[in-house]
Short mmCIF file of all heavy atoms in Angstrom, two decimals:
data_model
loop_
_atom_site.label_atom_id
_atom_site.label_comp_id
_atom_site.label_asym_id
_atom_site.label_seq_id
_atom_site.Cartn_x
_atom_site.Cartn_y
_atom_site.Cartn_z
N LEU A 776 7.82 -19.12 7.87
CA LEU A 776 8.46 -20.22 7.14
C LEU A 776 7.42 -20.96 6.31
O LEU A 776 7.73 -21.53 5.28
CB LEU A 776 9.25 -21.09 7.98
CG LEU A 776 10.51 -20.43 8.68
CD1 LEU A 776 11.16 -21.44 9.61
CD2 LEU A 776 11.47 -19.96 7.59
N ALA A 777 6.21 -21.07 6.86
CA ALA A 777 5.24 -21.88 6.12
C ALA A 777 4.47 -21.13 5.12
O ALA A 777 3.72 -21.64 4.34
CB ALA A 777 4.17 -22.40 7.20
N GLU A 778 4.75 -19.81 4.96
CA GLU A 778 4.00 -18.89 4.04
C GLU A 778 4.72 -18.56 2.72
O GLU A 778 4.01 -17.96 1.82
CB GLU A 778 3.63 -17.62 4.73
CG GLU A 778 2.70 -17.75 5.85
CD GLU A 778 2.33 -16.43 6.46
OE1 GLU A 778 3.13 -15.89 7.23
OE2 GLU A 778 1.33 -15.80 5.97
N PRO A 779 5.94 -18.81 2.53
CA PRO A 779 6.55 -18.27 1.34
C PRO A 779 5.88 -18.52 0.01
O PRO A 779 5.85 -17.71 -0.93
CB PRO A 779 7.97 -18.87 1.29
CG PRO A 779 8.24 -19.34 2.70
CD PRO A 779 6.90 -19.58 3.31
N GLU A 780 5.36 -19.76 -0.13
CA GLU A 780 4.68 -20.10 -1.40
C GLU A 780 3.30 -19.41 -1.58
O GLU A 780 2.87 -19.18 -2.66
CB GLU A 780 4.42 -21.64 -1.46
CG GLU A 780 5.80 -22.44 -1.56
CD GLU A 780 6.43 -22.62 -0.11
OE1 GLU A 780 5.69 -22.62 0.81
OE2 GLU A 780 7.63 -22.74 -0.16
N THR A 781 2.68 -19.20 -0.44
CA THR A 781 1.30 -18.59 -0.44
C THR A 781 1.30 -17.03 -0.35
O THR A 781 0.23 -16.41 -0.61
CB THR A 781 0.35 -19.23 0.56
OG1 THR A 781 0.98 -18.96 1.89
CG2 THR A 781 0.22 -20.66 0.34
N TYR A 782 2.35 -16.47 0.24
CA TYR A 782 2.34 -15.04 0.48
C TYR A 782 2.10 -14.17 -0.75
O TYR A 782 1.30 -13.24 -0.70
CB TYR A 782 3.61 -14.56 1.17
CG TYR A 782 3.54 -13.12 1.53
CD1 TYR A 782 2.65 -12.63 2.42
CD2 TYR A 782 4.39 -12.18 0.75
CE1 TYR A 782 2.61 -11.35 2.79
CE2 TYR A 782 4.24 -10.85 1.12
CZ TYR A 782 3.41 -10.45 2.11
OH TYR A 782 3.33 -9.08 2.41
N PRO A 783 2.68 -14.45 -1.93
CA PRO A 783 2.40 -13.58 -3.10
C PRO A 783 0.96 -13.49 -3.39
O PRO A 783 0.39 -12.40 -3.67
CB PRO A 783 3.18 -14.23 -4.26
CG PRO A 783 4.37 -14.92 -3.60
CD PRO A 783 3.75 -15.48 -2.20
N GLN A 784 0.23 -14.56 -3.42
CA GLN A 784 -1.21 -14.51 -3.56
C GLN A 784 -1.99 -13.80 -2.47
O GLN A 784 -2.92 -13.09 -2.73
CB GLN A 784 -1.81 -15.93 -3.83
CG GLN A 784 -3.28 -15.91 -4.09
CD GLN A 784 -3.64 -15.11 -5.35
OE1 GLN A 784 -2.97 -15.24 -6.30
NE2 GLN A 784 -4.72 -14.35 -5.26
N ALA A 785 -1.56 -14.03 -1.27
CA ALA A 785 -2.16 -13.41 -0.12
C ALA A 785 -1.99 -11.81 -0.19
O ALA A 785 -2.87 -11.14 0.09
CB ALA A 785 -1.59 -13.88 1.24
N LEU A 786 -0.74 -11.46 -0.57
CA LEU A 786 -0.49 -9.96 -0.75
C LEU A 786 -1.26 -9.41 -1.81
O LEU A 786 -1.91 -8.29 -1.71
CB LEU A 786 1.02 -9.76 -1.01
CG LEU A 786 1.46 -8.33 -1.18
CD1 LEU A 786 1.12 -7.45 -0.02
CD2 LEU A 786 2.90 -8.22 -1.54
N ASP A 787 -1.38 -10.20 -2.97
CA ASP A 787 -2.15 -9.65 -4.12
C ASP A 787 -3.66 -9.47 -3.67
O ASP A 787 -4.31 -8.47 -4.03
CB ASP A 787 -2.07 -10.64 -5.24
CG ASP A 787 -2.71 -10.11 -6.45
OD1 ASP A 787 -2.39 -9.02 -6.94
OD2 ASP A 787 -3.64 -10.80 -6.97
N THR A 788 -4.23 -10.43 -2.98
CA THR A 788 -5.60 -10.33 -2.48
C THR A 788 -5.77 -9.17 -1.55
O THR A 788 -6.72 -8.37 -1.63
CB THR A 788 -5.98 -11.65 -1.75
OG1 THR A 788 -5.84 -12.70 -2.69
CG2 THR A 788 -7.40 -11.51 -1.20
N TYR A 789 -4.79 -8.99 -0.60
CA TYR A 789 -4.78 -7.81 0.29
C TYR A 789 -4.88 -6.50 -0.42
O TYR A 789 -5.55 -5.64 -0.21
CB TYR A 789 -3.63 -7.90 1.28
CG TYR A 789 -3.64 -6.83 2.28
CD1 TYR A 789 -4.26 -6.94 3.42
CD2 TYR A 789 -2.92 -5.59 1.97
CE1 TYR A 789 -4.29 -5.91 4.35
CE2 TYR A 789 -2.91 -4.61 2.92
CZ TYR A 789 -3.58 -4.73 4.12
OH TYR A 789 -3.57 -3.71 5.03
N LEU A 790 -4.00 -6.41 -1.43
CA LEU A 790 -3.82 -5.19 -2.22
C LEU A 790 -5.12 -4.84 -2.98
O LEU A 790 -5.59 -3.66 -2.98
CB LEU A 790 -2.61 -5.13 -3.12
CG LEU A 790 -1.23 -5.29 -2.50
CD1 LEU A 790 -0.13 -5.42 -3.57
CD2 LEU A 790 -1.04 -4.14 -1.56
N HIS A 791 -5.73 -5.84 -3.52
CA HIS A 791 -7.02 -5.68 -4.28
C HIS A 791 -8.18 -5.25 -3.30
O HIS A 791 -8.91 -4.40 -3.52
CB HIS A 791 -7.35 -6.96 -5.04
CG HIS A 791 -6.67 -7.04 -6.35
ND1 HIS A 791 -5.47 -7.66 -6.36
CD2 HIS A 791 -7.07 -6.63 -7.56
CE1 HIS A 791 -5.04 -7.65 -7.69
NE2 HIS A 791 -5.97 -6.96 -8.36
N GLU A 792 -8.15 -5.86 -2.12
CA GLU A 792 -9.18 -5.60 -1.11
C GLU A 792 -9.08 -4.20 -0.51
O GLU A 792 -10.04 -3.53 -0.05
CB GLU A 792 -9.18 -6.61 -0.03
CG GLU A 792 -9.68 -8.01 -0.42
CD GLU A 792 -9.45 -9.13 0.66
OE1 GLU A 792 -8.97 -8.85 1.72
OE2 GLU A 792 -9.92 -10.27 0.37
N HIS A 793 -7.81 -3.70 -0.47
CA HIS A 793 -7.62 -2.46 0.15
C HIS A 793 -7.09 -1.36 -0.85
O HIS A 793 -6.58 -0.34 -0.51
CB HIS A 793 -6.49 -2.51 1.22
CG HIS A 793 -7.01 -3.45 2.37
ND1 HIS A 793 -6.81 -4.82 2.34
CD2 HIS A 793 -7.63 -3.08 3.51
CE1 HIS A 793 -7.34 -5.27 3.52
NE2 HIS A 793 -7.79 -4.24 4.18
N ARG A 794 -7.47 -1.60 -2.14
CA ARG A 794 -7.10 -0.60 -3.20
C ARG A 794 -7.45 0.84 -2.90
O ARG A 794 -6.73 1.73 -3.01
CB ARG A 794 -7.66 -1.13 -4.56
CG ARG A 794 -7.21 -0.19 -5.66
CD ARG A 794 -7.71 -0.65 -6.96
NE ARG A 794 -7.36 0.28 -8.05
CZ ARG A 794 -6.65 0.01 -9.09
NH1 ARG A 794 -6.27 -1.24 -9.29
NH2 ARG A 794 -6.36 0.97 -9.92
N ALA A 795 -8.69 1.07 -2.47
CA ALA A 795 -9.18 2.40 -2.21
C ALA A 795 -8.39 3.04 -1.09
O ALA A 795 -8.04 4.24 -1.23
CB ALA A 795 -10.65 2.30 -1.93
N ARG A 796 -8.17 2.32 -0.04
CA ARG A 796 -7.26 2.88 1.08
C ARG A 796 -5.89 3.22 0.56
O ARG A 796 -5.29 4.24 0.92
CB ARG A 796 -7.17 1.88 2.17
CG ARG A 796 -8.45 1.92 3.11
CD ARG A 796 -8.31 0.93 4.26
NE ARG A 796 -7.24 1.34 5.15
CZ ARG A 796 -6.67 0.53 6.03
NH1 ARG A 796 -7.03 -0.73 6.04
NH2 ARG A 796 -5.77 0.91 6.76
N LEU A 797 -5.33 2.28 -0.22
CA LEU A 797 -3.96 2.53 -0.76
C LEU A 797 -3.89 3.70 -1.65
O LEU A 797 -3.02 4.54 -1.62
CB LEU A 797 -3.52 1.28 -1.53
CG LEU A 797 -3.21 0.03 -0.68
CD1 LEU A 797 -3.10 -1.27 -1.56
CD2 LEU A 797 -1.94 0.18 0.19
N GLU A 798 -4.92 3.90 -2.44
CA GLU A 798 -5.06 5.10 -3.29
C GLU A 798 -5.12 6.40 -2.49
O GLU A 798 -4.56 7.37 -2.77
CB GLU A 798 -6.24 5.04 -4.26
CG GLU A 798 -5.96 3.98 -5.41
CD GLU A 798 -7.16 3.76 -6.22
OE1 GLU A 798 -8.25 4.20 -5.97
OE2 GLU A 798 -6.93 3.02 -7.28
N ARG A 799 -5.95 6.36 -1.41
CA ARG A 799 -6.04 7.50 -0.55
C ARG A 799 -4.64 7.78 0.11
O ARG A 799 -4.21 8.96 0.28
CB ARG A 799 -7.12 7.29 0.51
CG ARG A 799 -8.48 7.41 0.13
CD ARG A 799 -9.51 7.53 1.20
NE ARG A 799 -9.70 6.21 1.91
CZ ARG A 799 -10.53 5.27 1.38
NH1 ARG A 799 -11.20 5.45 0.31
NH2 ARG A 799 -10.67 4.12 2.12
N LEU A 800 -3.96 6.74 0.58
CA LEU A 800 -2.60 6.94 1.14
C LEU A 800 -1.70 7.60 0.14
O LEU A 800 -1.03 8.54 0.52
CB LEU A 800 -2.04 5.51 1.62
CG LEU A 800 -0.65 5.58 2.23
CD1 LEU A 800 -0.83 6.14 3.64
CD2 LEU A 800 -0.12 4.21 2.25
N TRP A 801 -1.75 7.16 -1.01
CA TRP A 801 -0.83 7.65 -2.10
C TRP A 801 -1.25 9.15 -2.45
O TRP A 801 -0.38 9.98 -2.60
CB TRP A 801 -0.94 6.84 -3.39
CG TRP A 801 0.01 7.27 -4.39
CD1 TRP A 801 -0.24 8.07 -5.55
CD2 TRP A 801 1.46 7.03 -4.43
NE1 TRP A 801 0.96 8.31 -6.16
CE2 TRP A 801 1.97 7.68 -5.56
CE3 TRP A 801 2.35 6.37 -3.63
CZ2 TRP A 801 3.29 7.66 -5.90
CZ3 TRP A 801 3.68 6.35 -3.96
CH2 TRP A 801 4.13 6.96 -5.09
N ARG A 802 -2.53 9.41 -2.57
CA ARG A 802 -2.95 10.78 -2.92
C ARG A 802 -2.57 11.77 -1.76
O ARG A 802 -2.18 12.92 -2.05
CB ARG A 802 -4.50 10.78 -3.06
CG ARG A 802 -4.96 10.41 -4.43
CD ARG A 802 -6.43 10.82 -4.68
NE ARG A 802 -7.33 10.38 -3.67
CZ ARG A 802 -7.98 9.23 -3.58
NH1 ARG A 802 -7.68 8.33 -4.56
NH2 ARG A 802 -8.80 8.99 -2.71
N ARG A 803 -2.63 11.25 -0.54
CA ARG A 803 -2.31 12.18 0.61
C ARG A 803 -0.80 12.39 0.81
O ARG A 803 -0.33 13.41 1.04
CB ARG A 803 -2.89 11.69 1.84
CG ARG A 803 -4.43 11.74 1.76
CD ARG A 803 -5.02 11.50 3.11
NE ARG A 803 -4.87 12.73 3.91
CZ ARG A 803 -5.13 12.88 5.14
NH1 ARG A 803 -5.51 11.87 5.80
NH2 ARG A 803 -4.95 14.11 5.71
N TYR A 804 0.00 11.27 0.69
CA TYR A 804 1.36 11.30 1.11
C TYR A 804 2.41 11.07 -0.02
O TYR A 804 3.55 11.27 0.12
CB TYR A 804 1.62 10.26 2.14
CG TYR A 804 0.88 10.48 3.44
CD1 TYR A 804 -0.39 9.87 3.68
CD2 TYR A 804 1.28 11.44 4.29
CE1 TYR A 804 -1.08 10.08 4.79
CE2 TYR A 804 0.57 11.69 5.50
CZ TYR A 804 -0.65 11.04 5.72
OH TYR A 804 -1.33 11.31 6.92
N GLY A 805 1.86 10.68 -1.22
CA GLY A 805 2.75 10.44 -2.37
C GLY A 805 3.18 11.77 -3.03
O GLY A 805 2.72 12.85 -2.54
N PRO A 806 3.98 11.68 -4.08
CA PRO A 806 4.45 12.85 -4.78
C PRO A 806 3.16 13.78 -5.22
O PRO A 806 2.32 13.24 -5.73
CB PRO A 806 5.12 12.34 -5.90
CG PRO A 806 5.54 10.98 -5.60
CD PRO A 806 4.45 10.50 -4.71
N GLY A 807 3.32 15.02 -4.83
CA GLY A 807 2.23 15.96 -5.20
C GLY A 807 1.09 15.94 -4.22
O GLY A 807 0.14 16.73 -4.32
N GLY A 808 1.09 15.07 -3.22
CA GLY A 808 0.02 14.99 -2.22
C GLY A 808 0.11 16.11 -1.23
O GLY A 808 1.06 16.84 -1.10
N MET A 809 -1.00 16.32 -0.49
CA MET A 809 -1.12 17.33 0.56
C MET A 809 0.00 17.25 1.54
O MET A 809 0.53 18.27 2.01
CB MET A 809 -2.47 17.20 1.24
CG MET A 809 -2.70 18.31 2.29
SD MET A 809 -4.21 18.02 3.25
CE MET A 809 -5.44 18.21 1.93
N PHE A 810 0.39 15.99 1.85
CA PHE A 810 1.48 15.74 2.90
C PHE A 810 2.68 15.12 2.28
O PHE A 810 3.37 14.38 2.97
CB PHE A 810 0.88 14.98 4.08
CG PHE A 810 -0.30 15.62 4.70
CD1 PHE A 810 -1.55 15.11 4.54
CD2 PHE A 810 -0.12 16.78 5.58
CE1 PHE A 810 -2.65 15.74 5.17
CE2 PHE A 810 -1.18 17.31 6.16
CZ PHE A 810 -2.43 16.87 5.94
N SER A 811 3.01 15.45 1.03
CA SER A 811 4.14 14.94 0.37
C SER A 811 5.39 15.13 1.22
O SER A 811 5.63 16.17 1.71
CB SER A 811 4.26 15.63 -0.97
OG SER A 811 5.42 15.09 -1.63
N GLY A 812 6.13 14.06 1.33
CA GLY A 812 7.40 14.16 2.09
C GLY A 812 7.36 13.79 3.55
O GLY A 812 8.36 13.53 4.23
N LYS A 813 6.15 13.70 4.08
CA LYS A 813 5.98 13.34 5.44
C LYS A 813 6.21 11.86 5.64
O LYS A 813 6.76 11.44 6.64
CB LYS A 813 4.57 13.65 5.91
CG LYS A 813 4.29 13.23 7.39
CD LYS A 813 2.91 13.62 7.94
CE LYS A 813 2.77 13.14 9.26
NZ LYS A 813 1.40 13.28 9.79
N LEU A 814 5.87 10.99 4.66
CA LEU A 814 6.17 9.61 4.80
C LEU A 814 7.29 9.17 3.80
O LEU A 814 7.08 9.12 2.62
CB LEU A 814 4.90 8.83 4.44
CG LEU A 814 3.65 8.90 5.20
CD1 LEU A 814 2.52 7.99 4.77
CD2 LEU A 814 3.98 8.63 6.69
N VAL A 815 8.47 9.08 4.35
CA VAL A 815 9.55 8.75 3.45
C VAL A 815 9.46 7.36 2.76
O VAL A 815 10.07 7.08 1.77
CB VAL A 815 10.95 8.89 4.12
CG1 VAL A 815 11.19 10.37 4.54
CG2 VAL A 815 11.02 8.02 5.31
N LEU A 816 8.75 6.45 3.43
CA LEU A 816 8.55 5.08 2.99
C LEU A 816 7.65 4.96 1.78
O LEU A 816 7.60 3.99 1.09
CB LEU A 816 8.13 4.20 4.09
CG LEU A 816 9.04 4.10 5.31
CD1 LEU A 816 8.41 3.25 6.45
CD2 LEU A 816 10.48 3.54 4.88
N ILE A 817 6.86 5.95 1.56
CA ILE A 817 5.81 5.98 0.48
C ILE A 817 6.53 5.73 -0.89
O ILE A 817 5.90 5.19 -1.85
CB ILE A 817 4.84 7.18 0.45
CG1 ILE A 817 3.57 6.90 -0.34
CG2 ILE A 817 5.61 8.38 -0.01
CD1 ILE A 817 2.47 6.30 0.38
N ASP A 818 7.71 6.21 -1.05
CA ASP A 818 8.34 6.08 -2.40
C ASP A 818 9.09 4.79 -2.55
O ASP A 818 9.60 4.45 -3.66
CB ASP A 818 9.38 7.23 -2.48
CG ASP A 818 8.72 8.58 -2.58
OD1 ASP A 818 7.57 8.66 -3.08
OD2 ASP A 818 9.35 9.63 -2.29
N LEU A 819 9.11 3.90 -1.67
CA LEU A 819 9.72 2.57 -1.71
C LEU A 819 8.78 1.66 -2.42
O LEU A 819 7.61 1.64 -2.23
CB LEU A 819 10.10 2.04 -0.34
CG LEU A 819 11.10 2.84 0.50
CD1 LEU A 819 11.31 2.22 1.87
CD2 LEU A 819 12.43 3.01 -0.27
N PRO A 820 9.38 0.72 -3.26
CA PRO A 820 8.57 -0.27 -4.01
C PRO A 820 7.83 -1.18 -3.00
O PRO A 820 6.75 -1.63 -3.32
CB PRO A 820 9.59 -1.06 -4.77
CG PRO A 820 10.81 -0.22 -4.87
CD PRO A 820 10.81 0.71 -3.69
#
């Protein structure tokens, strides 16, 4: 309840800090990846 105003910035920071890992996740499990279809949640926004 105390975070709603600060969470968007915290999420943005987290995404920038973990960009390389997120890209690896997408390359492996996203469309066309080696394990495409294994993670059904990868296609969700």
